[in-house]
Amino acid sequence: MSDKLRLGVNIDHVATLRNARGGAHPDPVAGAWAAIQSGADGITAHLREDRRHMRDDDMVRLQTLCESEDIPLNMEMAATSEMLKIALDLKPKAVCIVPERREERTTEGGLDVVGQHNSVAPIVRELTENGSRVSLFIEAQRTQIDAAKSCGAAVVELHTGAYAHAHEDDNIELAAEILKTLQDGATYAHSLGLEVHLGHGLTFDNVSDIAAIPEAVELNIGHFIIGEAVFMGLEPAILEMRRIMDAARV
Ligand SMILES: CC(=O)[C@@H](O)[C@H](O)COP(=O)(O)O
Ligand SMILES: NCC(=O)COP(=O)(O)O
């Protein structure tokens, strides 16, 4: 089991709150700073094509902050030429390529690397040559994991959304079934030399079994932490997530 399981805090939804009024508060970069002071091992931010939350100038300020704090910025982006140019200019430590549909409320599934291999592989190559560590956000399926490897990605982030939904619906049997798929996917990806991350929909209640996956190196968690921060504060929310993750690894 890898020693320390990294927590990447996704600060997208600080920007959602800011954009609700069209002003500058709360500033997602200030949120990232607070998350870093609270022990976040990395900051994740999704620059969506529709800029519903994070905006271009946020990403520039975020990269400056992360560089000054020596904390990796993990930029999530769709596999488009627009986002590729932004990421090449920004030079974040990490980039995670995710699927995106304008009409979706949130990320609904993993990137179809098998079907989009010819468009994804050149983007992976350019970003890697530019110095970013590239991750592909995929379902825990061997075909997608193989395709990610063949694209030259260093990391796969396994989509935990279906697991989270099953948990939310108290469908314990289905949650256990999906967890097994995630566990098997993590083991397979690791056997191919891929670094294994997991994320989407993780909460205090459902994170333990994901954190206990031995090959997991990083969890990216955002919406729940920011939501909890409304009630208990950002630092306590991050510290509690950290505590649960660490307790699952003993
Ligand atoms: C890729 C992923 O699972 C999350 O980063 C998610 O995309 C956060 O952004 P949204 O909440 O806008 O989907
Ligand atoms: N890639 C997952 C992520 O960054 C955060 O997802 P969520 O916790 O906001 O669902």
Side-chain angles (χ1 to χ4, degrees), residues 17-34:
L17 194 51
R18 175 200 55 196
N19 296 354
R21 280 284 176 89
H25 182 271
D27 180 359
V29 179
W33 184 85

mmCIF file with all atom_site columns, all heavy atoms in Angstrom, residues 17-34:
data_model
loop_
_atom_site.group_PDB
_atom_site.id
_atom_site.type_symbol
_atom_site.label_atom_id
_atom_site.label_alt_id
_atom_site.label_comp_id
_atom_site.label_asym_id
_atom_site.label_entity_id
_atom_site.label_seq_id
_atom_site.pdbx_PDB_ins_code
_atom_site.Cartn_x
_atom_site.Cartn_y
_atom_site.Cartn_z
_atom_site.occupancy
_atom_site.B_iso_or_equiv
_atom_site.pdbx_formal_charge
_atom_site.auth_seq_id
_atom_site.auth_comp_id
_atom_site.auth_asym_id
_atom_site.auth_atom_id
_atom_site.pdbx_PDB_model_num
ATOM 1   N N   . LEU A 1 17 ? -20.101 29.592 -6.013  1.00 0.00 ? 17 LEU A N   1
ATOM 2   C CA  . LEU A 1 17 ? -20.720 30.508 -5.038  1.00 0.00 ? 17 LEU A CA  1
ATOM 3   C C   . LEU A 1 17 ? -20.420 31.964 -5.424  1.00 0.00 ? 17 LEU A C   1
ATOM 4   O O   . LEU A 1 17 ? -21.287 32.841 -5.422  1.00 0.00 ? 17 LEU A O   1
ATOM 5   C CB  . LEU A 1 17 ? -20.177 30.190 -3.644  1.00 0.00 ? 17 LEU A CB  1
ATOM 6   C CG  . LEU A 1 17 ? -20.877 30.770 -2.424  1.00 0.00 ? 17 LEU A CG  1
ATOM 7   C CD1 . LEU A 1 17 ? -22.366 30.494 -2.452  1.00 0.00 ? 17 LEU A CD1 1
ATOM 8   C CD2 . LEU A 1 17 ? -20.247 30.205 -1.146  1.00 0.00 ? 17 LEU A CD2 1
ATOM 9   N N   . ARG A 1 18 ? -19.181 32.209 -5.835  1.00 0.00 ? 18 ARG A N   1
ATOM 10  C CA  . ARG A 1 18 ? -18.804 33.573 -6.249  1.00 0.00 ? 18 ARG A CA  1
ATOM 11  C C   . ARG A 1 18 ? -19.646 34.041 -7.433  1.00 0.00 ? 18 ARG A C   1
ATOM 12  O O   . ARG A 1 18 ? -20.159 35.167 -7.451  1.00 0.00 ? 18 ARG A O   1
ATOM 13  C CB  . ARG A 1 18 ? -17.330 33.622 -6.650  1.00 0.00 ? 18 ARG A CB  1
ATOM 14  C CG  . ARG A 1 18 ? -16.923 34.988 -7.197  1.00 0.00 ? 18 ARG A CG  1
ATOM 15  C CD  . ARG A 1 18 ? -15.671 34.958 -8.021  1.00 0.00 ? 18 ARG A CD  1
ATOM 16  N NE  . ARG A 1 18 ? -15.729 34.001 -9.116  1.00 0.00 ? 18 ARG A NE  1
ATOM 17  C CZ  . ARG A 1 18 ? -14.642 33.594 -9.770  1.00 0.00 ? 18 ARG A CZ  1
ATOM 18  N NH1 . ARG A 1 18 ? -13.444 34.005 -9.378  1.00 0.00 ? 18 ARG A NH1 1
ATOM 19  N NH2 . ARG A 1 18 ? -14.752 32.729 -10.768 1.00 0.00 ? 18 ARG A NH2 1
ATOM 20  N N   . ASN A 1 19 ? -19.805 33.134 -8.405  1.00 0.00 ? 19 ASN A N   1
ATOM 21  C CA  . ASN A 1 19 ? -20.492 33.516 -9.642  1.00 0.00 ? 19 ASN A CA  1
ATOM 22  C C   . ASN A 1 19 ? -21.990 33.724 -9.428  1.00 0.00 ? 19 ASN A C   1
ATOM 23  O O   . ASN A 1 19 ? -22.665 34.334 -10.246 1.00 0.00 ? 19 ASN A O   1
ATOM 24  C CB  . ASN A 1 19 ? -20.255 32.462 -10.722 1.00 0.00 ? 19 ASN A CB  1
ATOM 25  C CG  . ASN A 1 19 ? -18.783 32.350 -11.115 1.00 0.00 ? 19 ASN A CG  1
ATOM 26  O OD1 . ASN A 1 19 ? -17.953 33.149 -10.651 1.00 0.00 ? 19 ASN A OD1 1
ATOM 27  N ND2 . ASN A 1 19 ? -18.445 31.366 -11.931 1.00 0.00 ? 19 ASN A ND2 1
ATOM 28  N N   . ALA A 1 20 ? -22.484 33.218 -8.297  1.00 0.00 ? 20 ALA A N   1
ATOM 29  C CA  . ALA A 1 20 ? -23.931 33.340 -8.035  1.00 0.00 ? 20 ALA A CA  1
ATOM 30  C C   . ALA A 1 20 ? -24.363 34.807 -7.986  1.00 0.00 ? 20 ALA A C   1
ATOM 31  O O   . ALA A 1 20 ? -25.496 35.149 -8.298  1.00 0.00 ? 20 ALA A O   1
ATOM 32  C CB  . ALA A 1 20 ? -24.285 32.647 -6.727  1.00 0.00 ? 20 ALA A CB  1
ATOM 33  N N   . ARG A 1 21 ? -23.426 35.676 -7.569  1.00 0.00 ? 21 ARG A N   1
ATOM 34  C CA  . ARG A 1 21 ? -23.768 37.100 -7.469  1.00 0.00 ? 21 ARG A CA  1
ATOM 35  C C   . ARG A 1 21 ? -23.007 37.950 -8.482  1.00 0.00 ? 21 ARG A C   1
ATOM 36  O O   . ARG A 1 21 ? -23.140 39.177 -8.477  1.00 0.00 ? 21 ARG A O   1
ATOM 37  C CB  . ARG A 1 21 ? -23.446 37.610 -6.059  1.00 0.00 ? 21 ARG A CB  1
ATOM 38  C CG  . ARG A 1 21 ? -24.487 37.280 -5.021  1.00 0.00 ? 21 ARG A CG  1
ATOM 39  C CD  . ARG A 1 21 ? -25.697 38.177 -5.148  1.00 0.00 ? 21 ARG A CD  1
ATOM 40  N NE  . ARG A 1 21 ? -26.749 37.811 -4.231  1.00 0.00 ? 21 ARG A NE  1
ATOM 41  C CZ  . ARG A 1 21 ? -26.864 38.297 -2.987  1.00 0.00 ? 21 ARG A CZ  1
ATOM 42  N NH1 . ARG A 1 21 ? -25.935 39.103 -2.512  1.00 0.00 ? 21 ARG A NH1 1
ATOM 43  N NH2 . ARG A 1 21 ? -27.871 37.931 -2.215  1.00 0.00 ? 21 ARG A NH2 1
ATOM 44  N N   . GLY A 1 22 ? -22.098 37.330 -9.233  1.00 0.00 ? 22 GLY A N   1
ATOM 45  C CA  . GLY A 1 22 ? -21.354 38.068 -10.258 1.00 0.00 ? 22 GLY A CA  1
ATOM 46  C C   . GLY A 1 22 ? -20.254 38.951 -9.707  1.00 0.00 ? 22 GLY A C   1
ATOM 47  O O   . GLY A 1 22 ? -19.679 39.774 -10.406 1.00 0.00 ? 22 GLY A O   1
ATOM 48  N N   . GLY A 1 23 ? -19.928 38.783 -8.422  1.00 0.00 ? 23 GLY A N   1
ATOM 49  C CA  . GLY A 1 23 ? -18.876 39.627 -7.832  1.00 0.00 ? 23 GLY A CA  1
ATOM 50  C C   . GLY A 1 23 ? -17.544 38.901 -7.758  1.00 0.00 ? 23 GLY A C   1
ATOM 51  O O   . GLY A 1 23 ? -17.271 38.018 -8.564  1.00 0.00 ? 23 GLY A O   1
ATOM 52  N N   . ALA A 1 24 ? -16.766 39.250 -6.717  1.00 0.00 ? 24 ALA A N   1
ATOM 53  C CA  . ALA A 1 24 ? -15.417 38.653 -6.597  1.00 0.00 ? 24 ALA A CA  1
ATOM 54  C C   . ALA A 1 24 ? -15.304 37.781 -5.351  1.00 0.00 ? 24 ALA A C   1
ATOM 55  O O   . ALA A 1 24 ? -14.265 37.174 -5.095  1.00 0.00 ? 24 ALA A O   1
ATOM 56  C CB  . ALA A 1 24 ? -14.381 39.770 -6.537  1.00 0.00 ? 24 ALA A CB  1
ATOM 57  N N   . HIS A 1 25 ? -16.335 37.734 -4.551  1.00 0.00 ? 25 HIS A N   1
ATOM 58  C CA  . HIS A 1 25 ? -16.309 36.965 -3.299  1.00 0.00 ? 25 HIS A CA  1
ATOM 59  C C   . HIS A 1 25 ? -17.355 35.852 -3.293  1.00 0.00 ? 25 HIS A C   1
ATOM 60  O O   . HIS A 1 25 ? -18.458 36.061 -3.821  1.00 0.00 ? 25 HIS A O   1
ATOM 61  C CB  . HIS A 1 25 ? -16.577 37.928 -2.130  1.00 0.00 ? 25 HIS A CB  1
ATOM 62  C CG  . HIS A 1 25 ? -16.522 37.260 -0.789  1.00 0.00 ? 25 HIS A CG  1
ATOM 63  N ND1 . HIS A 1 25 ? -17.620 36.687 -0.201  1.00 0.00 ? 25 HIS A ND1 1
ATOM 64  C CD2 . HIS A 1 25 ? -15.485 37.029 0.043   1.00 0.00 ? 25 HIS A CD2 1
ATOM 65  C CE1 . HIS A 1 25 ? -17.283 36.154 0.962   1.00 0.00 ? 25 HIS A CE1 1
ATOM 66  N NE2 . HIS A 1 25 ? -15.987 36.349 1.140   1.00 0.00 ? 25 HIS A NE2 1
ATOM 67  N N   . PRO A 1 26 ? -16.986 34.661 -2.783  1.00 0.00 ? 26 PRO A N   1
ATOM 68  C CA  . PRO A 1 26 ? -15.683 34.218 -2.290  1.00 0.00 ? 26 PRO A CA  1
ATOM 69  C C   . PRO A 1 26 ? -14.725 33.897 -3.428  1.00 0.00 ? 26 PRO A C   1
ATOM 70  O O   . PRO A 1 26 ? -15.155 33.330 -4.458  1.00 0.00 ? 26 PRO A O   1
ATOM 71  C CB  . PRO A 1 26 ? -16.006 32.967 -1.479  1.00 0.00 ? 26 PRO A CB  1
ATOM 72  C CG  . PRO A 1 26 ? -17.232 32.397 -2.132  1.00 0.00 ? 26 PRO A CG  1
ATOM 73  C CD  . PRO A 1 26 ? -18.013 33.596 -2.617  1.00 0.00 ? 26 PRO A CD  1
ATOM 74  N N   . ASP A 1 27 ? -13.488 34.251 -3.254  1.00 0.00 ? 27 ASP A N   1
ATOM 75  C CA  . ASP A 1 27 ? -12.468 34.055 -4.283  1.00 0.00 ? 27 ASP A CA  1
ATOM 76  C C   . ASP A 1 27 ? -11.968 32.606 -4.246  1.00 0.00 ? 27 ASP A C   1
ATOM 77  O O   . ASP A 1 27 ? -11.453 32.166 -3.211  1.00 0.00 ? 27 ASP A O   1
ATOM 78  C CB  . ASP A 1 27 ? -11.301 35.015 -4.017  1.00 0.00 ? 27 ASP A CB  1
ATOM 79  C CG  . ASP A 1 27 ? -10.181 34.887 -5.045  1.00 0.00 ? 27 ASP A CG  1
ATOM 80  O OD1 . ASP A 1 27 ? -10.308 34.027 -5.949  1.00 0.00 ? 27 ASP A OD1 1
ATOM 81  O OD2 . ASP A 1 27 ? -9.194  35.628 -4.930  1.00 0.00 ? 27 ASP A OD2 1
ATOM 82  N N   . PRO A 1 28 ? -12.081 31.868 -5.334  1.00 0.00 ? 28 PRO A N   1
ATOM 83  C CA  . PRO A 1 28 ? -11.622 30.473 -5.338  1.00 0.00 ? 28 PRO A CA  1
ATOM 84  C C   . PRO A 1 28 ? -10.125 30.328 -5.063  1.00 0.00 ? 28 PRO A C   1
ATOM 85  O O   . PRO A 1 28 ? -9.673  29.339 -4.496  1.00 0.00 ? 28 PRO A O   1
ATOM 86  C CB  . PRO A 1 28 ? -11.981 29.963 -6.736  1.00 0.00 ? 28 PRO A CB  1
ATOM 87  C CG  . PRO A 1 28 ? -12.207 31.183 -7.565  1.00 0.00 ? 28 PRO A CG  1
ATOM 88  C CD  . PRO A 1 28 ? -12.697 32.242 -6.637  1.00 0.00 ? 28 PRO A CD  1
ATOM 89  N N   . VAL A 1 29 ? -9.359  31.374 -5.407  1.00 0.00 ? 29 VAL A N   1
ATOM 90  C CA  . VAL A 1 29 ? -7.912  31.304 -5.134  1.00 0.00 ? 29 VAL A CA  1
ATOM 91  C C   . VAL A 1 29 ? -7.666  31.441 -3.630  1.00 0.00 ? 29 VAL A C   1
ATOM 92  O O   . VAL A 1 29 ? -6.803  30.775 -3.057  1.00 0.00 ? 29 VAL A O   1
ATOM 93  C CB  . VAL A 1 29 ? -7.149  32.367 -5.947  1.00 0.00 ? 29 VAL A CB  1
ATOM 94  C CG1 . VAL A 1 29 ? -5.657  32.320 -5.647  1.00 0.00 ? 29 VAL A CG1 1
ATOM 95  C CG2 . VAL A 1 29 ? -7.385  32.148 -7.434  1.00 0.00 ? 29 VAL A CG2 1
ATOM 96  N N   . ALA A 1 30 ? -8.464  32.259 -2.982  1.00 0.00 ? 30 ALA A N   1
ATOM 97  C CA  . ALA A 1 30 ? -8.375  32.345 -1.514  1.00 0.00 ? 30 ALA A CA  1
ATOM 98  C C   . ALA A 1 30 ? -8.800  31.013 -0.909  1.00 0.00 ? 30 ALA A C   1
ATOM 99  O O   . ALA A 1 30 ? -8.219  30.549 0.091   1.00 0.00 ? 30 ALA A O   1
ATOM 100 C CB  . ALA A 1 30 ? -9.262  33.479 -0.995  1.00 0.00 ? 30 ALA A CB  1
ATOM 101 N N   . GLY A 1 31 ? -9.783  30.378 -1.543  1.00 0.00 ? 31 GLY A N   1
ATOM 102 C CA  . GLY A 1 31 ? -10.214 29.052 -1.084  1.00 0.00 ? 31 GLY A CA  1
ATOM 103 C C   . GLY A 1 31 ? -9.091  28.036 -1.219  1.00 0.00 ? 31 GLY A C   1
ATOM 104 O O   . GLY A 1 31 ? -8.857  27.209 -0.341  1.00 0.00 ? 31 GLY A O   1
ATOM 105 N N   . ALA A 1 32 ? -8.363  28.140 -2.333  1.00 0.00 ? 32 ALA A N   1
ATOM 106 C CA  . ALA A 1 32 ? -7.231  27.216 -2.548  1.00 0.00 ? 32 ALA A CA  1
ATOM 107 C C   . ALA A 1 32 ? -6.150  27.456 -1.499  1.00 0.00 ? 32 ALA A C   1
ATOM 108 O O   . ALA A 1 32 ? -5.572  26.514 -0.944  1.00 0.00 ? 32 ALA A O   1
ATOM 109 C CB  . ALA A 1 32 ? -6.658  27.419 -3.945  1.00 0.00 ? 32 ALA A CB  1
ATOM 110 N N   . TRP A 1 33 ? -5.884  28.745 -1.214  1.00 0.00 ? 33 TRP A N   1
ATOM 111 C CA  . TRP A 1 33 ? -4.866  29.068 -0.200  1.00 0.00 ? 33 TRP A CA  1
ATOM 112 C C   . TRP A 1 33 ? -5.248  28.465 1.144   1.00 0.00 ? 33 TRP A C   1
ATOM 113 O O   . TRP A 1 33 ? -4.450  27.812 1.822   1.00 0.00 ? 33 TRP A O   1
ATOM 114 C CB  . TRP A 1 33 ? -4.698  30.587 -0.068  1.00 0.00 ? 33 TRP A CB  1
ATOM 115 C CG  . TRP A 1 33 ? -3.602  30.976 0.889   1.00 0.00 ? 33 TRP A CG  1
ATOM 116 C CD1 . TRP A 1 33 ? -2.269  31.100 0.623   1.00 0.00 ? 33 TRP A CD1 1
ATOM 117 C CD2 . TRP A 1 33 ? -3.762  31.221 2.296   1.00 0.00 ? 33 TRP A CD2 1
ATOM 118 N NE1 . TRP A 1 33 ? -1.574  31.422 1.772   1.00 0.00 ? 33 TRP A NE1 1
ATOM 119 C CE2 . TRP A 1 33 ? -2.469  31.507 2.825   1.00 0.00 ? 33 TRP A CE2 1
ATOM 120 C CE3 . TRP A 1 33 ? -4.861  31.241 3.157   1.00 0.00 ? 33 TRP A CE3 1
ATOM 121 C CZ2 . TRP A 1 33 ? -2.251  31.809 4.169   1.00 0.00 ? 33 TRP A CZ2 1
ATOM 122 C CZ3 . TRP A 1 33 ? -4.650  31.545 4.501   1.00 0.00 ? 33 TRP A CZ3 1
ATOM 123 C CH2 . TRP A 1 33 ? -3.362  31.815 4.990   1.00 0.00 ? 33 TRP A CH2 1
ATOM 124 N N   . ALA A 1 34 ? -6.527  28.628 1.507   1.00 0.00 ? 34 ALA A N   1
ATOM 125 C CA  . ALA A 1 34 ? -7.014  28.095 2.792   1.00 0.00 ? 34 ALA A CA  1
ATOM 126 C C   . ALA A 1 34 ? -6.932  26.568 2.801   1.00 0.00 ? 34 ALA A C   1
ATOM 127 O O   . ALA A 1 34 ? -6.549  25.949 3.798   1.00 0.00 ? 34 ALA A O   1
ATOM 128 C CB  . ALA A 1 34 ? -8.443  28.550 3.040   1.00 0.00 ? 34 ALA A CB  1
#
